[in-house]
Amino acid sequence: MAVQRIQIQSVRPQVDCGRFPAKASVGDTVEIAATIFRDGHEKLQAVVRYRPTGKRRWREVALEATGNDLYRAQITPDALGPWELRIQAWVDPYASWLDEHDRKVAAGQADLSSELSEGRLLFDDGTVEEWHAAAPALSDRARKDAVKSDLLRIDVDRGRARFGAWYELFPRSWGGFSGVAAVLPEIAALGFDVVYLPPVHPIGETFRKGRNNAERARKGDPGSPWAIGGPAGGHDALDPDLGTDDDFDAMVAAAKAAGVEIALDFAIQCSPDHPWLVEHPVWFNRRPDGTIKYAENPPKRYQDIHNVDWDSEQRDELWRALRDVVLGWCRRGILAFRVDNPHTKPVPFWEWLIAEVRAEFPEAIFLAEAFTRPAPMTTLAKVGFSQSYTYFTWKNTKAEIVEFVEQVRSWAPTYRPNMWPNTPDILHEYLQDGGRPAFEARLVLATTLSPSYGIYSGYEACENTPVRKGSEEYLDSEKYEVKKRSLKGPLLPLIRRLNEIRRAHPALQRFESLTWLDTHNGELIAYAKSEGDDVVITVVNLDPTGPQEGLCILPPSLGLPDSFTAVDLLADSAYRWRTGRNFVGLPAGGAHVIAVEPQPLEGTA
Amino acid sequence: MAVQRIQIQSVRPQVDCGRFPAKASVGDTVEIAATIFRDGHEKLQAVVRYRPTGKRRWREVALEATGNDLYRAQITPDALGPWELRIQAWVDPYASWLDEHDRKVAAGQADLSSELSEGRLLFDDGTVEEWHAAAPALSDRARKDAVKSDLLRIDVDRGRARFGAWYELFPRSWGGFSGVAAVLPEIAALGFDVVYLPPVHPIGETFRKGRNNAERARKGDPGSPWAIGGPAGGHDALDPDLGTDDDFDAMVAAAKAAGVEIALDFAIQCSPDHPWLVEHPVWFNRRPDGTIKYAENPPKRYQDIHNVDWDSEQRDELWRALRDVVLGWCRRGILAFRVDNPHTKPVPFWEWLIAEVRAEFPEAIFLAEAFTRPAPMTTLAKVGFSQSYTYFTWKNTKAEIVEFVEQVRSWAPTYRPNMWPNTPDILHEYLQDGGRPAFEARLVLATTLSPSYGIYSGYEACENTPVRKGSEEYLDSEKYEVKKRSLKGPLLPLIRRLNEIRRAHPALQRFESLTWLDTHNGELIAYAKSEGDDVVITVVNLDPTGPQEGLCILPPSLGLPDSFTAVDLLADSAYRWRTGRNFVGLPAGGAHVIAVEPQPLEGTA
């Protein structure tokens, strides 16, 4: 006969019944909510207690009743790493007595002597006025009988896990580590926060892929950086063609000096020449006839790489070795990792690895390159990935974009998108056919829809030649050959401006708040994002072939002024806009990115 | 380093993370669903295992993959009481090997000797064809490593818990138990399933309420039946004015013979004359000055009843005594209880009491008279109440009705509505002002929206005089005086016909499936309900003052024929309707209840 009369339900944030932590970035305001009620008319008090996991002292905020048994509070975790919280609620007999007493007085009930005898038992001597003054402090006396919710967790990471502009480049095309170091200030000046490098490790010779993914390399072909491991070492070594250890460290230092950070690739696969194949043969899957299986997903075959055997009898050693690879790079100043195909590795491995790494380096960020089904993508976010690639690259029509963004919104509060208009693996037909207007439209979409976005180098130059019609692979892909790269292209001014706008506008630094706006034109997509007082309205012409006209209808629910100055942040011009219908005309692939200035513009009609 | 590589997520039905059971009625098909995936390309097998709680033997159904990692199955619990289920999933190495082999053959890969050596290890000797044949049976060998979900529960009750027509009457106005027994066949012939009686126990004398809720009764006033307890006994006794124990038993037998059942009221409150006040003084709340508190919620005062003290030091005895009251009536053939104000009693008490009663009488049904906030209403459903009163009585405009029904739909799968257009406590202004058309409209709404509905006697006669303007109380309410009642009134034919229609149409026996239909008229509400092949379309004119015209637009998503015979079940006429726009004209408060006949009507235009 358990008798927990106070019910605490639906505590938020909560992920999968508390199995996984919610996510927040340091300094974020986290909304706490719970449904709390009890039979009868007693007054309840409730608090949320929270602390960094492992600390002894709880912090505490009172929950406020906001109607229909819903209670709310806000907390602001101020340290990196795991936090825990729980709700406590209790009956406040002092407030309850006063409430009932006051209601009887208000109703004109004359004889309250019985009630007052009860009050004296509760408050000791004094007047009702004195009891009113004393009640708030007394409430804590009743707290020993507080009902407690289960413990819930919040994983706190740094702001960069949520908001940042990424630039991907193959160092071998930029003169190796020292060449990259030299160009970093220029990349930083464009407003990028993270420079992501594909694997920088020695590349296997055996079954090395040739140009355009040819099954045989020709002499001098450099191979795919994802075929990791050669005579010079494996995942903890550097490709000698890119530079020395000192060159690498100098590049990391240059990044720090320039105000960007380097992200490395973590790809768990080994070329046939990886030292682990000899040192740890039991980590790889062998057939009864002694052959090691190369990676394959029939009809696809990846003869230049072997996957590890996750069922290996030396599984624990394998896991630790992989963790130590990541820790090793952390110790060399790398705190952001783009993880290759994490969905093809066991979910529990990632939950373990990320926790282990973040226990030592709580700043570490993990970007999941998981282009797969919703369940594994969202699960990887739940087990610790800070952010993930998305289906963005393949969503190009208005209907596709809206459906896609709504799906990603339904995956909050653990899944954070990082939207890339291109990657070395994906050159979408829209970009192939649409040329520069298409590149501009997709860039504005990525930068304004998603707090994290990235481009793969060449985007600024509108590179868009596929290896063949119908393929999403680039012709002469940098994955298999060395290019001569430098930072140039017609899109650089737009990139710089968009990165500036993103840094200046908190509305673009969060994914949650988005309102779709009617345009009366299927080629014009429009949305408003807001954070506090900051409101940014984006309108993009998805048609790369010609101009489009339509409306941008601002519903009253946005709470904007009837009339206001719409500052076009891309055009450095301003219009008078209003809640309601606004005319919009945009050239092929063009966009407005509009800040709302509350004061109406002087002297305009 | 736990390594559960198969993820089993979002198993349904699941209520509050498995804290509460889902609900089903015996013979219902229960949809089981789960998200199941694992890294890699291995083939998975999954089953749902289920059994009545306490039985040893599991039953089992294979789950079918329906895309995007979603797996589904259907089970049909065939016994009353609690059931439990869990999902098991495992890698099928046999199917996995065959799948990979077959894909390589399809891709034209020539040398499969390595693969075949692996196959022989798995299957022993034989050909790939033989292995294909053997694989399904072999799958079970791998099952020892199956991953199991947590146990989930389903509470299985009888169909009446979900679907039934209730009629409420005060036995004292019908000649007591023997008078009720005499009228039961007539009530049954109207198509009612349950006859609900307000409390039938002795009524207190002290502070007895007079007519129209007067604070003092006059000589001869019978008092409110909810002031339970007098010299003749308490909750386990019968009001001598209603008849003897034998009369009661004869009434219950007459109900059985007529094919209806009697529901009693369970109201946990005691008149000042209840024997428990003397026998168990510690069960009641006393002030320091020795006075017992009567029930009150300032400014309201209920001097004729005392609530029990749920914090009593003899709490366990109190709980058992209350349980024994219910069990006592069950043993006398009562298996349906309308529970008065359950939200003012502790939630854990109900969870315990209902489980205790249903352990002995799994057929028992509990209807919660909880007119309160969403959290307690839904929680009472979760802890065991079979069904609940709703806000229906106060939802009279089209917008109110749609919003209300959508809210109730969001409370599935535990909360089941029982919609009453009137109760002895609630005579809505819409009925007061609208007269017979309003009564007709509300009756059609209740009977077609909700599988369970009820009316309080007098409804059939369109009784609608309030005690005063602005009050929802009846004038000369039966709660405080004896009326002379018999079954008559202009609405009886409509009631009989609606009950017939409900029994003939499975679409009206479930709440889940409902599609709102556009009418282009704010006074016309329309909806389609379906169950299997059965489709019923209802259109109601909510305007009790005059006729209304509009449309009934059937969207293609309903899957109805382009053209079909719309049989108006209330008018016994038929029209030719179509997917798309159909003209509708209805008199004040009028309604169509339409069955879809797939064959188009011959000879109509």
Side-chain angles (χ1 to χ4, degrees):
Chain A
M1 292 190 188
V3 62
Q4 197 108 304
R5 286 172 75 177
I6 296 177
Q7 307 295 312
I8 304 179
Q9 302 175 341
S10 307
V11 183
R12 281 169 295 167
Q14 180 167 177
V15 181
D16 288 13
C17 301
R19 164 69 181 82
F20 302 107
K23 278 196 177 74
S25 294
V26 146
D28 277 358
T29 297
V30 179
E31 300 280 344
I32 307 294
T35 297
I36 306 175
F37 69 95
R38 179 189 183 274
D39 60 285
H41 306 288
E42 313 299 320
K43 296 281 155 191
L44 302 183
Q45 302 286 353
V47 296
V48 52
R49 314 193 82 196
Y50 63 107
R51 64 183 175 190
T53 303
K55 297 274 184 213
R56 223 174 60 86
R57 198 179 63 81
W58 288 101
R59 307 180 199 185
E60 187 172 295
V61 177
L63 289 162
E64 193 187 345
T66 59
N68 262 348
D69 305 308
L70 191 61
Y71 286 70
R72 293 175 182 279
Q74 297 185 329
I75 64 172
T76 308
D78 56 8
L80 291 167
W83 286 63
E84 57 192 16
L85 66 91
R86 65 156 39 109
I87 305 292
Q88 287 195 3
W90 64 96
V91 169
D92 182 339
Y94 308 95
S96 301
W97 185 92
L98 289 166
D99 175 69
E100 190 174 327
H101 171 271
D102 294 352
R103 284 194 286 154
K104 287 179 180 177
V105 170
Q109 198 168 318
D111 180 10
L112 293 173
S113 54
S114 268
E115 284 79 356
L116 288 168
S117 74
E118 220 178 14
R120 275 188 294 276
L121 209 66
L122 210 53
F123 290 95
D124 297 325
D125 286 336
T127 66
V128 173
E129 287 68 37
E130 287 167 352
W131 296 347
H132 263 288
L138 289 170
S139 163
D140 249 20
R141 285 196 200 169
R143 216 167 137 163
K144 60 179 178 356
D145 299 322
V147 172
K148 294 172 184 171
S149 74
D150 288 339
L151 268 186
L152 292 173
R153 292 177 295 149
I154 300 179
D155 186 11
V156 178
D157 49 24
R158 60 186 165 118
R160 185 67 63 235
R162 170 173 53 74
F163 171 64
W166 293 53
Y167 188 79
E168 172 175 3
L169 61 82
F170 284 68
R172 64 190 182 190
S173 298
W174 298 72
F177 299 135
S178 55
V180 172
V183 80
L184 284 173
E186 227 180 309
I187 296 175
L190 283 170
F192 286 103
D193 304 295
V194 183
V195 175
Y196 150 55
L197 313 181
V200 292
H201 315 300
I203 298 172
E205 303 266 2
T206 310
F207 295 118
R208 175 178 281 194
K209 298 274 182 178
R211 292 172 179 237
N212 287 308
N213 202 20
E215 232 178 74
R216 293 274 140 90
R218 287 194 289 185
K219 190 165 158 51
D221 282 351
S224 161
W226 282 275
I228 296 171
H235 284 76
D236 49 4
L238 293 167
D239 182 356
D241 288 348
L242 297 177
T244 63
D245 276 11
D246 287 348
D247 294 335
F248 180 85
D249 293 340
M251 175 187 69
V252 174
K256 195 167 184 184
V260 291
E261 67 176 298
I262 302 288
L264 289 191
D265 195 296
F266 184 47
I268 304 180
Q269 55 209 22
C270 297
S271 89
D273 308 317
H274 195 291
W276 281 354
L277 268 81
V278 176
E279 294 165 15
H280 303 281
V282 74
W283 289 355
F284 299 87
N285 208 332
R286 269 164 215 280
R287 292 212 177 79
D289 66 1
T291 55
I292 302 189
K293 290 179 87 157
Y294 52 76
E296 56 186 337
N297 181 16
K300 291 188 190 161
R301 301 157 80 176
Y302 308 96
Q303 295 94 332
D304 61 341
I305 51 171
H306 297 284
N307 288 326
V308 300
D309 178 11
W310 295 103
D311 293 322
S312 164
E313 61 195 45
Q314 288 180 16
R315 179 172 66 77
D316 290 2
E317 289 80 352
L318 170 64
W319 284 31
R320 285 195 206 101
L322 290 166
R323 174 200 61 192
D324 292 343
V325 163
V326 178
L327 285 175
W329 293 112
C330 289
R331 291 186 190 117
R332 290 181 73 166
I334 302 299
L335 291 167
F337 297 89
R338 179 265 197 194
V339 178
D340 194 75
N341 279 320
H343 55 291
T344 60
K345 286 87 192 172
V347 167
F349 166 73
W350 292 119
E351 187 166 23
W352 172 84
L353 178 130
I354 294 173
E356 289 273 308
V357 172
R358 293 199 54 223
E360 193 171 335
F361 295 95
E363 313 93 322
I365 291 172
F366 293 85
L367 163 60
E369 190 233 12
F371 294 111
T372 182
R373 306 177 309 283
M377 279 174 83
T378 53
T379 302
L380 290 168
K382 290 171 186 173
V383 303
F385 278 90
S386 324
Q387 49 174 248
S388 176
Y389 283 73
T390 70
Y391 310 138
F392 173 72
T393 329
W394 296 287
K395 306 297 179 181
N396 290 282
T397 69
K398 184 170 174 176
E400 284 170 353
I401 293 167
V402 170
E403 188 187 26
F404 155 72
V405 169
E406 288 307 307
Q407 182 182 46
V408 173
R409 291 218 283 183
S410 77
W411 294 346
T414 48
Y415 179 97
R416 297 194 189 112
N418 191 334
M419 297 190 187
W420 293 67
N422 75 328
T423 78
D425 299 317
I426 317 171
L427 169 67
H428 193 273
E429 188 182 23
Y430 180 82
L431 296 177
Q432 295 177 26
D433 296 345
R436 178 170 170 176
F439 277 75
E440 290 177 341
R442 297 295 294 172
L443 184 69
V444 173
L445 288 169
T447 51
T448 56
L449 282 172
S450 181
S452 294
Y453 88 101
I455 55 173
Y456 157 53
S457 73
Y459 194 89
E460 63 276 8
C462 305
E463 288 181 8
N464 68 343
T465 312
V467 65
R468 62 178 177 280
K469 186 73 196 157
S471 169
E472 292 185 344
E473 289 284 341
Y474 282 88
L475 176 67
D476 301 329
S477 169
E478 215 173 346
K479 289 191 286 188
Y480 312 108
E481 59 193 88
V482 179
K483 303 266 199 187
K484 191 80 201 142
R485 290 265 192 206
S486 64
L487 212 51
K488 59 176 185 240
L491 259 45
L492 290 180
L494 180 62
I495 292 168
R496 180 184 294 112
R497 183 66 188 130
L498 284 166
N499 283 338
E500 265 174 22
I501 294 168
R502 287 161 44 86
R503 286 185 179 172
H505 286 277
L508 300 179
Q509 297 172 15
R510 293 187 180 273
F511 187 67
E512 299 82 343
S513 136
L514 182 147
T515 306
W516 300 108
L517 306 174
D518 280 344
T519 63
H520 288 206
N521 180 331
E523 295 289 345
L524 294 179
I525 191 167
Y527 41 91
K529 299 192 74 173
S530 60
E531 169 74 13
D533 290 340
D534 186 43
V535 180
V536 175
I537 298 162
T538 304
V539 191
V540 181
N541 178 8
L542 302 176
D543 180 0
T545 67
Q548 293 283 343
E549 292 186 353
L551 301 173
C552 179
I553 303 179
L554 304 175
S557 57
L558 284 180
L560 297 177
D562 289 347
S563 172
F564 60 88
T565 303
V567 179
D568 191 330
L569 301 168
L570 292 181
D572 263 336
S573 57
Y575 325 106
R576 184 163 183 173
W577 272 28
R578 52 181 54 81
T579 290
R581 300 153 76 98
N582 301 282
F583 173 79
V584 173
L586 284 167
H592 291 308
V593 177
I594 283 172
V596 173
E597 296 282 337
Q599 296 307 318
L601 197 63
E602 303 267 337
T604 50
Chain B
M1 295 194 188
V3 63
Q4 196 108 303
R5 285 172 75 176
I6 296 178
Q7 306 296 312
I8 304 179
Q9 302 175 342
S10 307
V11 184
R12 282 169 294 169
Q14 180 166 179
V15 181
D16 288 13
C17 302
R19 165 68 182 83
F20 303 107
K23 277 196 177 74
S25 294
V26 144
D28 277 358
T29 296
V30 179
E31 301 280 343
I32 308 294
T35 297
I36 306 175
F37 70 94
R38 178 189 185 275
D39 58 288
H41 306 289
E42 313 299 319
K43 295 282 154 190
L44 302 183
Q45 302 286 352
V47 296
V48 52
R49 314 194 80 195
Y50 63 107
R51 65 184 174 191
T53 303
K55 297 275 185 213
R56 223 174 59 88
R57 198 179 64 80
W58 288 100
R59 308 180 198 184
E60 188 173 295
V61 178
L63 289 162
E64 193 187 346
T66 60
N68 261 350
D69 305 308
L70 191 62
Y71 285 71
R72 293 175 181 279
Q74 298 186 329
I75 64 172
T76 308
D78 56 9
L80 291 167
W83 286 63
E84 57 192 16
L85 67 90
R86 65 156 40 109
I87 306 292
Q88 287 194 3
W90 64 97
V91 169
D92 183 339
Y94 308 95
S96 301
W97 186 91
L98 288 167
D99 174 69
E100 191 175 326
H101 171 270
D102 293 353
R103 283 195 286 155
K104 287 178 181 178
V105 169
Q109 197 168 320
D111 179 10
L112 294 172
S113 54
S114 267
E115 284 78 358
L116 288 168
S117 74
E118 219 178 16
R120 275 189 293 275
L121 208 68
L122 210 55
F123 289 98
D124 297 325
D125 287 336
T127 66
V128 173
E129 288 67 37
E130 287 166 352
W131 295 348
H132 262 289
L138 290 170
S139 161
D140 250 19
R141 285 196 200 170
R143 214 166 139 162
K144 59 177 179 359
D145 300 322
V147 172
K148 295 173 184 172
S149 75
D150 288 339
L151 268 185
L152 292 173
R153 292 177 294 149
I154 300 180
D155 186 10
V156 178
D157 49 23
R158 60 188 165 114
R160 186 65 63 234
R162 171 173 52 77
F163 171 65
W166 293 53
Y167 188 80
E168 172 174 3
L169 61 82
F170 284 70
R172 64 192 183 188
S173 297
W174 298 73
F177 299 135
S178 54
V180 173
V183 80
L184 283 174
E186 227 179 310
I187 296 174
L190 284 171
F192 286 103
D193 303 295
V194 183
V195 176
Y196 151 56
L197 313 181
V200 291
H201 316 299
I203 297 171
E205 304 266 359
T206 310
F207 295 117
R208 175 177 282 193
K209 298 276 182 177
R211 291 171 180 239
N212 288 310
N213 201 22
E215 231 178 76
R216 293 276 140 88
R218 287 194 292 187
K219 194 170 153 49
D221 283 351
S224 161
W226 281 276
I228 296 170
H235 284 77
D236 49 4
L238 292 167
D239 182 357
D241 289 348
L242 297 176
T244 64
D245 275 10
D246 288 347
D247 294 335
F248 180 86
D249 294 338
M251 175 186 70
V252 174
K256 195 168 183 180
V260 290
E261 68 176 296
I262 303 288
L264 289 190
D265 195 296
F266 184 47
I268 304 179
Q269 54 208 26
C270 298
S271 89
D273 307 318
H274 196 292
W276 282 354
L277 270 80
V278 176
E279 294 165 15
H280 303 282
V282 73
W283 290 355
F284 299 88
N285 207 333
R286 269 163 215 282
R287 293 214 177 76
D289 65 2
T291 54
I292 302 191
K293 290 178 87 157
Y294 51 76
E296 56 186 335
N297 180 16
K300 292 189 189 161
R301 300 159 78 177
Y302 309 96
Q303 296 93 335
D304 60 342
I305 49 171
H306 298 284
N307 289 327
V308 300
D309 178 10
W310 295 103
D311 294 322
S312 166
E313 60 195 46
Q314 289 180 15
R315 180 173 64 79
D316 290 2
E317 290 81 351
L318 170 64
W319 283 31
R320 283 195 206 102
L322 291 166
R323 174 199 60 191
D324 292 344
V325 164
V326 178
L327 284 175
W329 293 111
C330 288
R331 290 186 190 117
R332 290 181 73 167
I334 303 298
L335 291 167
F337 298 89
R338 178 268 198 194
V339 178
D340 194 75
N341 279 322
H343 55 291
T344 61
K345 286 85 189 171
V347 167
F349 167 73
W350 292 120
E351 186 166 24
W352 172 85
L353 178 131
I354 294 173
E356 288 273 307
V357 172
R358 293 199 54 223
E360 192 170 334
F361 296 96
E363 314 93 322
I365 290 172
F366 293 86
L367 163 61
E369 191 232 13
F371 295 110
T372 182
R373 305 177 310 283
M377 281 174 82
T378 52
T379 301
L380 289 167
K382 290 172 187 173
V383 302
F385 277 91
S386 325
Q387 48 174 249
S388 176
Y389 283 73
T390 70
Y391 310 138
F392 173 72
T393 329
W394 296 287
K395 305 297 178 183
N396 290 282
T397 68
K398 185 171 174 175
E400 284 170 353
I401 293 166
V402 170
E403 187 186 25
F404 155 71
V405 169
E406 289 306 306
Q407 182 183 46
V408 173
R409 290 219 282 182
S410 78
W411 293 346
T414 48
Y415 179 97
R416 296 193 190 113
N418 191 334
M419 297 190 187
W420 293 67
N422 74 329
T423 78
D425 299 318
I426 317 170
L427 170 67
H428 193 273
E429 189 182 23
Y430 180 83
L431 297 176
Q432 296 177 26
D433 295 345
R436 179 170 169 176
F439 277 74
E440 290 177 341
R442 297 294 294 170
L443 184 69
V444 173
L445 289 169
T447 52
T448 56
L449 281 173
S450 182
S452 295
Y453 88 100
I455 56 172
Y456 156 55
S457 74
Y459 194 90
E460 63 276 9
C462 304
E463 288 181 7
N464 68 344
T465 313
V467 66
R468 61 178 179 280
K469 186 71 196 157
S471 169
E472 292 186 343
E473 289 283 340
Y474 282 88
L475 177 67
D476 301 329
S477 168
E478 216 174 344
K479 289 191 285 188
Y480 312 107
E481 59 191 85
V482 179
K483 303 268 198 186
K484 191 79 202 147
R485 289 266 194 204
S486 63
L487 212 50
K488 60 176 187 242
L491 260 43
L492 290 180
L494 180 61
I495 291 168
R496 180 185 296 110
R497 184 65 189 130
L498 284 166
N499 283 337
E500 265 174 20
I501 294 168
R502 287 162 45 86
R503 286 185 178 172
H505 286 277
L508 300 178
Q509 297 172 15
R510 294 187 180 273
F511 187 66
E512 297 84 343
S513 137
L514 181 146
T515 305
W516 300 107
L517 305 174
D518 279 345
T519 63
H520 288 205
N521 181 331
E523 295 290 343
L524 294 179
I525 191 168
Y527 41 91
K529 297 191 74 173
S530 61
E531 169 73 13
D533 290 339
D534 187 43
V535 180
V536 174
I537 297 161
T538 304
V539 191
V540 181
N541 178 7
L542 301 175
D543 179 1
T545 68
Q548 293 284 346
E549 294 186 351
L551 301 172
C552 179
I553 303 180
L554 305 176
S557 57
L558 284 178
L560 297 177
D562 287 348
S563 171
F564 60 88
T565 303
V567 179
D568 191 330
L569 300 167
L570 292 181
D572 263 336
S573 57
Y575 326 105
R576 184 160 181 178
W577 272 27
R578 54 181 53 81
T579 291
R581 298 153 77 98
N582 301 282
F583 174 79
V584 172
L586 285 166
H592 292 307
V593 177
I594 283 173
V596 173
E597 296 282 341
Q599 296 306 319
L601 197 64
E602 304 265 338
T604 50

